[in-house]
């Protein structure tokens, strides 16, 4: 068991693009104007449809090569650089890690030391419209319960073009069986680098063989709009206020890939929303998802859900048991209004092609017997109130727009304690709230999608990114465990982080 969880349990009382059929539109504002257009076949409930024809067979993201032969050490070389990539058949120069899109998947185990030899080979790119240098970068291992200090997950580091350095993460207390990811995290230019392609999966392997028999797929949901053979540039503050949504919507770099499955077969799908601002209200035609894990670990049992809402930064681990009836079933993103009344289109993300010899797989009834909801008297815990808001081209937490360590809302937390954070959304758009280092459990959700709220307030789900609905509120139980240092919390609509919807978390006094 992870030390993190043992510590928690001391407190636990009970257990409780461009293809034919694809529709092109520029900004979120355009969604409202688009009614019933597109490749058709489905009537979207307000936002139209994006229904490209089935594409090539689904391909897993590339795997990162482990350069270490020493047991217990995973060492990889990670290079940020521009590279020519085929985006749905169109060659474009994207910002990449190691030249691939999406970036290669890093795999490690709990207890490993993960070393990332990092090299910034981005060219000089000048200054963006927020006044930040586009060429500087750094690295965040999103979801890892590791130190935020030194050469670990330290957001204070930065790399100029040509600079290199070592990141090293002690995975001693990291939960097993988790899908995390990595991406840049340098305030003011993250949105452009992330939009341009810099994101990859970071898997901490399971510790039991329970799920190893199931075919497992890593699905990275990412969208982009190309312009002149490059990612469409950020040209106005509206790009930052709305967050960019692309007209080419991909699963692990492919538009509507075809995933074979046998009738009755069970597959494990691990899905990360690595899009800047697009939400995915997932649904699989003719099937129910069996949700078995969230960001912070595997759940006690499968939770049957017909729809899974995944906001930017969130991940879900699920089992799909194919119908006994052969045929094509589409993985869809259903219409969802993340701001105001404007619904997104219905989007075909992937086609599950069911056929061949029938399988007799069964969904396990127990997944992780150690998973439980933390139950404690929250009334006695320190309470933090955070209000997210937008205005004048900036994002705010408690009225302060992050500009640097000397201009930010700050939380000082004692190490080895629990806190209750109440996050209020004082704006008419949804904000996915992400805190580094320590995953939380959701105590209550006011507003937004009822299914999302009921799942997260009943399942023993650990979360590092939680959707705070427009004009709504989320309260969460936050363990402050194992690692002191200076960490961050922010909106994971990446543009909102860049315009200041971020704060600093001083844990145990903080450290640089
Ligand atoms: Cu936001």
């Amino acid at each position: 068991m992870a030390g993190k969880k043992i510590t928690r349990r001391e407190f636990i009382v009970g257990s409780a693009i461009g293809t034919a059929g694809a529709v092109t539109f520029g900004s979120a504002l355009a969604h409202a104007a688009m009614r019933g257009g597109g490749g058709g076949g489905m009537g979207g409930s307000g936002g139209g449809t994006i229904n490209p024809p089935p594409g090539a067979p689904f391909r897993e993201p590339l795997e990162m090569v482990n350069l270490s032969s020493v047991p217990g050490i995973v060492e990889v070389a990670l290079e940020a650089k521009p590279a020519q990539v085929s985006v749905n058949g169109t060659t474009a120069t994207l910002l990449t890690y190691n030249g691939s899109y999406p970036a290669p998947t890093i795999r490690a185990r709990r207890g490993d030391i993960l070393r990332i030899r990092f090299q910034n080979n981005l060219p000089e790119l000048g200054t963006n419209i927020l006044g930040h240098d586009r060429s500087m970068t750094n690295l965040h291992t999103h979801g890892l319960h590791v130190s935020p200090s030194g050469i670990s997950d330290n957001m204070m580091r930065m790399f100029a073009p040509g600079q290199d350095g070592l990141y090293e993460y002690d995975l001693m207390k990291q939960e097993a069986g988790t899908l995390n990811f990595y991406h840049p995290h340098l305030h003011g230019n993250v949105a452009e680098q992330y939009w341009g392609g810099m994101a990859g999966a970071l898997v901490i392997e399971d510790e039991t063989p329970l799920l190893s028999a199931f075919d497992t797929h890593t699905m990275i949901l990412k969208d982009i709009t190309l312009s002149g053979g490059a990612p469409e540039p950020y040209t106005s503050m509206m790009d930052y206020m709305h967050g960019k949504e692309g007209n080419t919507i991909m699963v692990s770099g492919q538009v509507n890939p075809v995933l074979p499955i046998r009738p009755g077969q069970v597959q494990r799908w691990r899905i990360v929303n690595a899009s800047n601002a697009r939400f995915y209200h997932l649904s699989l035609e003719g099937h129910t998802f069996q949700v078995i894990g969230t960001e912070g670990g595997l759940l006690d049992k499968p939770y049957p859900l017909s729809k899974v809402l995944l906001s930017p930064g969130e991940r879900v681990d699920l089992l799909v048991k194919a119908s006994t009836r052969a045929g094509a079933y589409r993985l869809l993103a259903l219409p969802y209004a993340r701001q105001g009344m404007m619904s997104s289109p219905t989007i075909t993300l992937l086609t599950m092609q069911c056929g061949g010899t029938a399988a007799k797989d069964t969904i396990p009834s127990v997944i992780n017997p150690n998973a439980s909801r933390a139950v404690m008297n929250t009334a006695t815990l320190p309470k933090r109130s955070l209000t997210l808001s937008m205005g004048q081209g900036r994002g705010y937490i408690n009225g302060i727009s992050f500009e640097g360590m000397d201009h930010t809302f700050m939380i000082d937390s004692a190490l080895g304690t629990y806190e209750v954070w109440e996050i209020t959304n004082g704006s008419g758009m949804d904000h996915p709230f992400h805190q580094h280092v320590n995953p939380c459990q959701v105590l209550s959700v006011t507003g937004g999608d009822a299914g999302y709220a009921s799942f997260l307030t009943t399942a023993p789900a650990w979360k590092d990114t939680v959707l705070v609905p427009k004009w709504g509120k989320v309260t969460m139980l936050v363990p402050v465990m194992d690692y002191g240092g200076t960490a961050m919390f922010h909106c994971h609509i990446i543009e909102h982080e860049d315009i200041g919807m971020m704060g600093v978390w001083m844990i145990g006094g903080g450290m640089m």
Side-chain angles (χ1 to χ4, degrees), residues 388 390 429-432 491-497 501:
L388 314 176
M390 306 275 291
M429 63 198 300
D430 290 359
H431 299 290
C491 179
H492 216 277
I493 290 176
I494 305 288
E495 289 85 354
H496 293 175
E497 180 210 318
M501 195 180 286

Side-chain angles (χ1 to χ4, degrees), residues 80-82 95 120-125 134-135 137 161 193 198:
K81 65 174 181 181
L95 302 177
N120 180 4
N121 277 336
L122 296 175
E124 295 289 350
L125 296 165
R134 288 194 175 93
S135 314
T137 193
Q193 293 179 3
M198 290 166 69

Side-chain angles (χ1 to χ4, degrees), residues 168-218:
E168 187 170 288
Y169 311 89
D170 184 341
L171 303 178
M172 176 81 72
K173 301 193 169 175
Q174 167 61 37
E175 184 71 8
T178 51
L179 170 62
N180 308 278
F181 66 127
Y182 61 96
H183 60 75
H185 205 292
L186 194 61
H187 175 68
N189 68 15
V190 184
E192 289 169 301
Q193 293 179 3
Y194 197 82
W195 170 250
M198 290 166 69
L202 199 177
V203 172
I204 306 299
E205 305 281 14
D206 291 3
E207 285 186 329
T208 75
L210 177 73
L211 303 167
S212 59
F214 301 131
D215 283 355
T216 299
H217 304 295
T218 304

Side-chain angles (χ1 to χ4, degrees), residues 141 232 427 489:
T141 50
E232 181 186 82
S427 75
F489 47 87

